[in-house]
Amino acid sequence: MRLVFMGTPDFAVASLSALVEAGFDVVGVVTAADKPAGRGQKLQESAVKQYAVAKGIKVLQPLKLKDPEFITELKALNADLQVVVAFRMLPEVVWNMPAKGTINLHGSLLPQYRGAAPINHAIINGEKESGVTTFFLKHEIDTGDVIFSASVPIGDTETAGELHDQLMNVGAELLVKTVKAIEEGNYEEQPQPQHEELKHAPKIFKENCLIDWNQPARTIYNMIRGLSPYPTAFTRLNDKTLKVFRAELEEKETGISPGGFLSDGKTFLKFAAKDGFIKLTDLQYEGKKRMSTEEFLRGYRIESGA
């Protein structure tokens, strides 16, 4: 069975690597165009492209997925099945091309958390469980019939980055299982369950990352975990941005207004929320590197402010 793989970030590399290691015939990879990055604005290849080039797999990098030249090149690969992991929305002319269709690996237990940021939103919402799902693509995004799914627990202190790595590996295994089942014709598609309340996972923008200290402490704590390490929750300290990668939750009476903070100037810095404190442990002050709170306080004089 000839496979074309579509994906861009590290999350997708684990799946591509698992398919290659399992012996599947990956005849081509479709990934994002090279983009300028860093101070020197050098062109940066996607993680998937770097892997594909190292393995000698043909790479296509269309700017537009309806481009006639790209469609011609894709058809010439003569794929039996297309596999999509962490890519962008495909037009029907692309996903409907192979005889066996196009499957997607999604980082949630569908139908919950359809959208671009399922891992972040699951933690932001305080979920205790997440997972991955494979399904066939159809017109509406993330709505296709489920082939397989696998669940993983979410720890009380787990960040989006840690859950990402868990799901990346579980997802790669599930994808290999899915492709084998399709190759053997040994699977049964299931319509996604109907839920009264669907939780969505839209793309996260910078304005979504500003901490509102009037919120309950647990809500803020989950937000910090769900946005770490990227795009990162932040607050303002002396008119500068203070990013928060990790924190501890203290649900107790604060005695100060939300947004006020306490510090001994040496070992701790904690901000008051509506009903408790958020004690910062891993942070980055504007213009500085990421560091522990103790390191930060050694080089920055701070006085508690209510």
Side-chain angles (χ1 to χ4, degrees):
M1 191 163 64
R2 294 170 64 85
L3 304 181
V4 164
F5 184 91
M6 301 183 180
T8 296
D10 287 324
F11 188 89
V13 174
S15 290
L16 175 56
S17 173
L19 290 171
V20 170
E21 295 300 317
F24 288 108
D25 186 15
V26 181
V27 296
V29 157
V30 182
T31 190
D34 299 350
K35 292 180 180 176
R39 289 184 179 177
Q41 289 293 286
K42 290 181 180 177
L43 283 180
Q44 185 76 34
E45 297 177 339
S46 77
V48 163
K49 179 182 177 180
Q50 290 175 38
Y51 177 87
V53 169
K55 292 292 181 181
I57 302 170
K58 183 177 177 64
V59 176
L60 302 180
Q61 295 178 278
L63 292 175
K64 295 182 178 177
L65 295 175
K66 290 184 179 178
D67 183 281
E69 188 177 331
F70 165 65
I71 298 297
T72 301
E73 282 188 287
L74 189 61
K75 276 182 180 171
L77 291 174
N78 198 25
D80 299 299
L81 178 72
Q82 289 176 161
V83 177
V84 180
V85 182
F87 197 51
R88 55 206 226 231
M89 277 187 68
L90 302 182
E92 184 174 359
V93 67
V94 172
W95 61 255
N96 208 18
M97 189 182 293
K100 293 184 184 292
T102 299
I103 61 170
N104 183 221
L105 172 71
H106 187 70
S108 80
L109 296 172
L110 291 171
Q112 299 295 9
Y113 298 108
R114 292 171 179 157
I119 296 172
N120 305 95
H121 284 284
I123 293 184
I124 288 169
N125 288 342
E127 301 289 359
K128 299 297 183 187
E129 182 184 59
S130 182
V132 283
T133 306
T134 52
F135 66 96
F136 279 101
L137 288 187
K138 64 180 198 178
H139 286 284
E140 295 82 13
I141 189 167
D142 298 338
T143 60
D145 292 342
V146 171
I147 310 167
F148 296 122
S149 64
S151 63
V152 300
I154 300 176
D156 291 340
T157 63
E158 195 164 357
T159 65
E162 290 161 346
L163 180 58
H164 167 281
D165 292 351
Q166 250 201 105
L167 294 181
M168 179 174 70
N169 295 318
V170 173
E173 291 176 16
L174 190 74
L175 194 61
V176 169
K177 176 183 173 182
T178 302
V179 175
K180 280 181 178 173
I182 292 170
E183 187 173 46
E184 295 163 2
N186 184 24
Y187 66 95
E188 204 172 303
E189 295 174 61
Q190 300 288 337
Q192 292 187 26
Q194 296 299 311
H195 280 265
E196 289 182 13
E197 185 191 352
L198 283 180
K199 299 169 185 175
H200 299 285
K203 186 175 179 179
I204 295 170
F205 297 94
K206 187 176 180 181
E207 55 265 30
N208 308 129
C209 301
L210 177 62
I211 297 170
D212 176 2
W213 295 108
N214 291 297
Q215 293 283 323
R218 185 164 292 276
T219 300
I220 296 170
Y221 175 67
N222 290 339
M223 173 191 176
I224 290 167
R225 292 193 300 128
L227 296 176
S228 178
Y230 183 83
T232 325
F234 70 93
T235 188
R236 304 289 293 175
L237 182 64
N238 292 340
D239 292 326
K240 288 194 173 184
T241 298
L242 181 66
K243 290 183 177 182
V244 186
F245 294 94
R246 283 188 185 273
E248 294 173 2
L249 175 63
E250 296 181 2
E251 290 179 289
K252 63 182 183 182
E253 189 67 41
T254 68
I256 61 174
S257 302
F261 58 87
L262 299 177
S263 176
D264 63 356
K266 294 177 181 178
T267 61
F268 75 86
L269 171 61
K270 55 187 183 181
F271 283 78
K274 179 181 177 182
D275 57 359
F277 282 111
I278 298 294
K279 183 180 177 184
L280 280 51
T281 59
D282 186 352
L283 53 83
Q284 184 175 12
Y285 195 54
E286 187 175 324
K288 305 291 183 182
K289 65 174 186 176
R290 179 175 169 178
M291 62 184 79
S292 68
T293 298
E294 290 87 347
E295 285 179 284
F296 171 66
L297 291 173
R298 277 201 294 270
Y300 189 85
R301 187 180 294 275
I302 194 168
E303 294 176 9
S304 296

